[in-house]
Amino acid sequence: MAATRAGPRAREIFTSLEYGPVPESHACALAWLDTQDRCLGHYVNGKWLKPEHRNSVPCQDPITGENLASCLQAQAEDVAAAVEAARMAFRSWSVHPGVVRAQHLTRLAKVIQKHQRLLWTLESLVTGRAVREVRDGDVQLAQQLLHYHAIQASTQEEALAGWEPMGVIGLILPPTFSFLEMMWRICPALAVGCTVVALVPPASPTPLLLAQLSGELGPFPGILNVISGSASLVPVLASQPGIQKVAFCGALEGGLRLLIQESVWDEAMRRLQERMGRLRSGRGLDGAVDMGARGAAACDLVQRFVREAQSQGAQVLQAGDVPSERPFYPPTLVSNLPPASPSKGSSSVPWPVVVASPFRTAKEALLVANGTPRGGSASVWSERLGQALELGYGLQVGTVWINAHGLRDPSVPTGGCKESGCSWHGGPDGLYEYLRPSGTPARLSCLSKNLNYDTFGLAVPSTLPAGPEIGPSPAPPYGLFIGGRFQAPGARSSKPIRDSSGNLHGYVAEGGAKDIRGAVEAAHQAFPGWAGQSPGARAALLWALAAALERRKSTLASRLERQGVELKAAEAEVELSARRLRAWGARVQAQGHTLQVAGLRGPVLRLREPLGVLAVVCPDEWPLLAFVSLLAPALAYGNTVVTVPSAACPLLALEVCQDMATLFPAGLANVVTGDRDHLTRCLALHQDVQAMWYFGSAQGSQFVEWASAGNLKPVWASRGCPRAWDQEAEGAGPELGLRAARTKALWLPMGD
Amino acid sequence: MSAHNRGTELDLSWISKIQVNHPAVLRRAEQIQARRTVKKEWQAAWLLKAVTFIDLTTLSGDDTSSNIQRLCYKAKYPIREDLLKALNMHDKGITTAAVCVYPARVCDAVKALKAAGCNIPVASVATGFPAGQTHLKTRLEEIRLAVEDGATEIDVVINRSLVLTGQWEGSDFIKTSTGKETVNATFPVAIVMLRAIRDFFWKTGNKIGFKPAGGIRSAKDSLAWLSLVKEELGDEWLKPELFRIGASTLLSDIERQIYHHVTGRYAAYHDLPMS
């Protein structure tokens, strides 16, 4: 074994007081591999699946390079078989009462407890991670996750009434991941009644072992299926009929960025170096090392990074007790990296590197920390409580630890924002990832091949004068409502709107790319002020708008009448719209709560923070009610919005804009009329829009989802399904509240 | 003890600026115990090293010259000779670092050690041990008498009422507690003390010693204390001049572990001499 140091006798150790190897036997991991004749297939429907004529990939010890087993690579038909098994399992698993699922998850936790040595030695053996980390951290947390989600399952009927499990979940895991990342995702999915097909990278035995442990528990063998294969199978899995959601997690990076205030820079660096010097690295299966090694590829990556940093004049400090041979790499502290250097710009720092940079004020630190596309987690170290909290609230990340780092608990949602993705694991938020409001139609996994992403909404049909304006209503407001006032469109052209009898109802401005740009800018300017308002202040403004809507009732009702709505119903729509505004104003005041976590003295705050600038494309139907029903939660949670109102009749929204012009701060809500597809295209491709809601055609939804992948903004698209906006569940249900804000977990450990 | 604390200007602002992140200290304390184990020959060597840090202590009301004599003999011959031979360590002169007794027993200890022909220092807890709530005059007199009797090290109980009012005293060694409290040497407290020692060293260049006392009974505990000092202060602190473990029953457990390492068997009580 490469990592073993030659053993000095007691006499020399007595003088040198060195640490020695503390090898953890991995005989049971090898024995388990032997049960499969060192050839791992896939685990589907409670059975090992070893189809013939498949390529195989060796699973190697990342440190010695020794071949441990060969792993069969799945083909499309194996994926289909796994999805079919999960679909069959879903039929019974999802209809059982929550307590039955709870019992099953609890049994799985117990099985893991009984076989934990096998689990931790196997994981450490194949990943090279320090066994202590896996044994004391991951394996324990895996059991806690199962217990926590068993409790959630047992109360599902009451606590999650109105929601149903999505169905079969496709889970895609990256080449470097710990089996714990899989647990964070499968536990909530299984708890709420979904079943899972996990596509793991070639040569990942631990997920297969977990699937086996779960499968051998009896009555529900098909709830967790694991197939291993290359990334080329991802689209195959995603397009399988029956897959209702695809969850994926990106490659995990291990490096860190450290911002240190100038006034304590020298002191902090000195302590950091001192501590680094005492880190020990070695074979993962050694019980007394702090860090293992992650294989040759990871070693190459970090070597390249450090060489480049050095060539740019950065200071590199390496320390610690580390074996000199590959693939071991010492903990590395990089400082003085020039600000504009490419290795700083590329936001990922490889493991085990820490890049330290100084800052002058807390404000500057916040700007630097938020100036990356990543939004996973961060920690703040300060003895000034006020300043620490200021930073904690200001950081655009999913998790903030104050004076601590890396703590996790099943009851605390973990997620992120920006390019770290918008999905959540753990806590209540993690459950909703695998639920949909009861009665929502199932997802059709086939994508339209006819949609041309390059041309969708690119051209705006030209419009000409469209006959005389007829009718009783006064002249409608004209212009794009941007930055608090009506503006002429950049294109200087207009679009006719017809009423239900085909007569011209009025002209609306034809908005375009430049108008969208202006609207997004205005919304960004308004955002800090609005997000900083108390929920009470935001509610007061929504209530004021509700009152204004009621004063404008007759105008609004008569415009609705021209669109073919009966007067009674039109008046009811106006009243309901006003009620929606008041309801969200009230709801948002009861947001966020405190979690209590095992093993931590002190609270974890679950904050609900605004997303930022939210783009909303309203449905054609319910031109007033749908517009208000979407606007109200978006604003209540502190977002600023750019809205494209109903294409059939945007005049209702423009009427409301007249009141917003007098009541709202400029830029809070912006309304852009024009060609729906064109405006959708502009919004979806805008990198500085933080989230998008789209209620329109299936094609438009597909485009929005495709285009939004550019900045990984969360998307809510209707896929062409109509919505009953006048019903409480669909028009004002908890789904809207969930979509309108994101969670942040703020850990506040106490101590005297 | 060779080098003395040369002292420094008393700067109370330094003390008032000290911040302790309690939860982080607790986590670190947990980690060190889990991450730094030693096995096999390493364990045996470390345990023998631990023996050389022990202030072999008896602080009982009924101490007499006979049990002091036995203690001193044990200090001189802490591990059975044949076990040391098996480890090829019999010529290393392994003894405990000191014996530690009440002032009234210093004479007995000095006499017994002389009879055994060794120069193990005698430490004494003077100054109104363990509360320290006696007059300064009697405490100073107590120290003088103990030194007169032959004690070369004095464990002083500082006047804690002075500390709590910000009037500090200097020392060459700091000790977690008297060993007579309900809670004595704990890891979190030790981490804070060791970091204070490190800061003082960085600031003044003076090395202050560290002595955990009370409740350290098992060989495993002693290994954890060694690795704690090694991790926080480094190898240069791992010598009797800068590190002591105040303990009475620890030694016999270490001897049992050495016995097991050498023979592969667990020792019966009568296999090893009592202390």
Side-chain angles (χ1 to χ4, degrees), chain A residues 188-211:
Chain A
L190 294 178
V192 300
C194 294
T195 57
V196 178
V197 175
L199 174 63
V200 299
S204 321
T206 323
L208 289 164
L209 170 61
L210 274 170

Side-chain angles (χ1 to χ4, degrees), chain A residues 359-670:
Chain A
F359 67 87
R360 292 166 300 166
T361 61
K363 211 174 196 170
E364 187 183 52
L366 196 59
L367 281 176
V368 175
N370 284 341
T372 77
R374 268 142 221 276
S377 57
S379 54
V380 177
W381 296 81
S382 172
E383 288 296 334
R384 290 190 204 153
L385 179 65
Q387 202 162 53
L389 284 174
E390 178 82 25
L391 286 168
Y393 273 75
L395 281 164
Q396 291 165 6
V397 292
T399 304
V400 177
W401 297 283
I402 305 283
N403 291 335
H405 190 84
L407 309 177
R408 289 184 94 175
D409 187 272
S411 64
V412 180
T414 310
C417 56
K418 296 196 270 188
E419 290 185 11
S420 292
C422 52
S423 65
W424 290 89
H425 321 294
D429 305 70
L431 298 172
Y432 288 114
E433 291 286 327
Y434 303 99
L435 291 166
R436 62 175 166 226
S438 303
T440 314
R443 169 180 177 263
L444 296 172
S445 49
C446 51
L447 292 175
S448 163
K449 298 258 187 328
N450 299 328
L451 178 64
N452 184 339
Y453 295 118
D454 294 335
T455 57
F456 175 86
L458 193 61
V460 181
S462 44
T463 49
L464 301 165
E469 286 185 53
I470 304 168
S473 16
Y478 178 83
L480 304 172
F481 185 67
I482 293 173
R485 59 195 182 86
F486 287 95
Q487 298 183 359
R492 294 291 190 273
S493 63
S494 305
K495 184 178 150 78
I497 300 299
R498 300 189 182 277
D499 64 15
S500 55
S501 31
N503 295 322
L504 183 68
H505 192 163
Y507 286 102
V508 294
E510 181 78 70
K514 283 196 175 145
D515 304 306
I516 290 292
R517 189 190 70 189
V520 172
E521 247 167 51
H524 268 294
Q525 269 169 19
F527 178 70
W530 181 241
Q533 297 265 351
S534 72
R538 296 200 290 255
L541 219 53
L542 292 180
W543 282 50
L545 185 63
L549 233 61
E550 277 161 351
R551 280 196 300 275
R552 206 178 277 277
K553 186 167 162 184
S554 63
T555 322
L556 291 167
S558 74
R559 289 218 183 275
L560 284 170
E561 255 190 303
R562 280 203 62 180
Q563 295 306 120
V565 184
E566 275 183 39
L567 181 63
K568 268 255 167 64
E571 284 178 348
E573 187 176 342
V574 179
E575 282 161 20
L576 185 54
S577 301
R579 275 212 300 282
R580 289 276 154 86
L581 286 164
R582 293 205 172 95
W584 282 109
R587 265 185 225 177
V588 81
Q589 298 199 45
Q591 265 308 303
H593 55 257
T594 309
L595 304 165
Q596 202 64 51
V597 164
L600 176 84
R601 263 166 48 79
V604 181
L605 306 184
R606 176 180 174 269
L607 309 175
R608 294 287 286 163
E609 294 192 336
L611 301 159
V613 173
L614 177 59
V616 181
V617 179
C618 297
D620 278 350
E621 64 275 15
W622 299 99
L624 176 67
L625 181 63
F627 170 73
V628 172
S629 298
L630 290 166
L631 188 71
L635 293 182
Y637 280 94
N639 304 290
T640 54
V641 283
V642 176
T643 308
V644 176
S646 157
C649 185
L651 297 169
L652 274 302
L654 291 173
E655 290 285 354
V656 179
C657 287
Q658 290 181 315
D659 291 315
M660 296 201 288
T662 57
L663 293 169
F664 281 9
L668 186 56
N670 305 277

Side-chain angles (χ1 to χ4, degrees), chain A residues 27 44 66 70 101 103 160 168 189 241 253 318 369 375 386 427 454 471 477 557 586 589 599 624 650 690 703-704:
Chain A
V44 173
E66 177 196 350
S70 59
R101 287 195 293 276
Q103 279 166 1
L160 296 167
V168 179
E253 60 179 271
Q318 299 187 320
D454 294 335
Q589 298 199 45
L624 176 67
Q690 276 76 38
F703 178 83
V704 167

Side-chain angles (χ1 to χ4, degrees), chain A residues 11 17 19 275 278 290, chain B residues 28 36 88 199 230-231:
Chain A
R11 276 181 88 90
L17 272 189
Y19 291 112
R275 178 66 179 276
R278 310 229 182 269
D290 297 297
Chain B
R28 172 85 176 135
R36 292 291 183 264
N88 192 21
D199 282 358
K230 186 177 166 76
E231 291 295 306

Side-chain angles (χ1 to χ4, degrees), chain A residues 8-11 14 17-20 22 132 270-271 274-275 278 288 290 381 383 403-404 750 752, chain B residues 19 21-23 27-28 35-37 41-42 45-46 49 88-89 91 198-199 202 230-231 234 238:
Chain A
R9 306 299 303 171
R11 276 181 88 90
F14 182 79
L17 272 189
E18 272 179 357
Y19 291 112
V22 187
R132 170 198 51 74
R270 179 178 192 177
R271 283 164 198 275
E274 170 81 13
R275 178 66 179 276
R278 310 229 182 269
D290 297 297
W381 296 81
E383 288 296 334
N403 291 335
M750 304 193 300
D752 55 3
Chain B
Q19 305 279 4
N21 182 338
H22 191 225
R27 265 198 307 282
R28 172 85 176 135
R35 285 191 195 184
R36 292 291 183 264
T37 44
E41 299 143 277
W42 282 268
W46 277 55
K49 196 72 180 183
N88 192 21
M89 295 291 286
D91 56 351
R198 187 181 67 183
D199 282 358
W202 281 354
K230 186 177 166 76
E231 291 295 306
L238 286 173

